[in-house]
Amino acid sequence: EATQDLLKTTEQEFAAEAAVEYVEEVLGHSIAATWLYDDDSDVLEPAVWTDTADEIVGDHPTFGPHDPSISWATFESGEAVYVADTYAETEHHNPESPILSELVLPLGRYGLLNIGATERDAFGEADLAVARLWAATVTMVFVRIERERQLRVREREILRERDRLEEFASLVSHDLRSPLNVAAGNLDLIRERLRDEGGDASEVD
């Protein structure tokens, strides 16, 4: 049912919301958030998070290539990561974070889904398997949403091009009408003159 609801979404933000809702309501993990990749700034921007994540974490950080983090490294590698003890990750760990273990799941080139816990080693193999499947589903929906957006853009471009061609055809038709009328009038005059002079007016045709 959650997957069916997700497949109905038509905007990336709504899909991100559905992804987090599923983690909380179906998987039973109350700390979850999605980050969406901003191509212009080359960073992962926090997009949607659960109420519990808001209470525990507070302001969600932005992840980028210049600040070492498990999240950015996972996004770049494209491989899901389970961190059983975040305090053991001395290179990337934020000592102020209350999150002691987390699942970090890339959503293709679109973003990231993080599922956290305030205790160490809070996730089992089943959690990781289902979370990976869900992340793959969310990624597939993001792909579909992007393709539909590209199609809409292309359709608008085609309509604009058609309108421009119709406008051009109308202008050309208008511009040609006067000289054609003049030419037709001149032909009529030549025919009349040839008739008057006893010539063959059919040669003009």
Side-chain angles (χ1 to χ4, degrees):
E1 183 179 350
T3 302
Q4 290 174 348
D5 289 340
L6 177 66
L7 292 173
K8 295 175 185 176
T9 58
T10 57
E11 299 292 338
Q12 195 178 64
E13 291 75 13
F14 295 152
E17 289 178 9
V20 169
E21 289 174 2
Y22 174 88
V23 170
E24 182 172 28
E25 296 175 7
V26 180
L27 297 184
H29 301 300
S30 60
I31 304 174
T34 54
W35 278 258
L36 296 178
Y37 179 66
D38 187 323
D39 189 55
D40 293 332
S41 55
D42 191 29
V43 296
L44 289 164
E45 294 281 0
V48 184
W49 48 86
T50 61
D51 291 339
T52 303
D54 191 35
E55 294 169 4
I56 293 177
V57 178
D59 293 334
H60 287 69
T62 296
F63 299 118
H66 305 299
D67 299 313
S69 66
I70 297 171
S71 293
W72 184 259
T74 302
F75 174 70
E76 282 196 317
S77 70
E79 297 292 332
V81 172
Y82 173 39
V83 183
D85 182 0
T86 58
Y87 276 78
E89 299 289 332
T90 54
E91 182 180 353
H92 300 300
H93 175 63
N94 174 10
E96 298 178 0
S97 174
I99 303 299
L100 300 184
S101 60
E102 63 181 342
L103 292 173
V104 188
L105 305 148
L107 303 174
R109 61 187 184 83
Y110 304 98
L112 202 70
L113 172 62
N114 281 18
I115 306 172
T118 54
E119 60 272 3
R120 292 179 173 84
D121 203 14
F123 304 98
E125 288 298 324
D127 293 313
L128 184 56
V130 174
R132 278 177 168 165
L133 179 61
W134 180 241
T137 303
V138 174
T139 303
M140 178 188 68
V141 170
F142 280 161
V143 171
R144 189 257 302 161
I145 289 172
E146 182 179 28
R147 287 179 178 172
E148 289 178 351
R149 182 188 62 79
Q150 291 172 344
L151 283 174
R152 289 194 298 270
V153 170
R154 182 58 182 153
E155 286 172 356
R156 288 194 294 267
E157 290 175 348
I158 291 172
L159 287 174
R160 284 196 297 268
E161 186 65 22
R162 186 195 67 184
D163 291 341
R164 283 196 294 268
L165 288 172
E166 288 179 351
E167 182 181 1
F168 175 74
S170 176
L171 289 171
V172 169
S173 174
H174 179 270
D175 291 343
L176 289 177
R177 191 174 299 121
S178 293
L180 286 174
N181 289 337
V182 171
N186 289 334
L187 284 174
D188 289 339
L189 289 173
I190 292 172
R191 290 191 189 98
E192 290 295 328
R193 187 176 302 164
L194 287 173
R195 288 192 187 97
D196 293 342
E197 295 175 357
D200 187 357
S202 63
E203 292 180 359
V204 179
D205 298 330

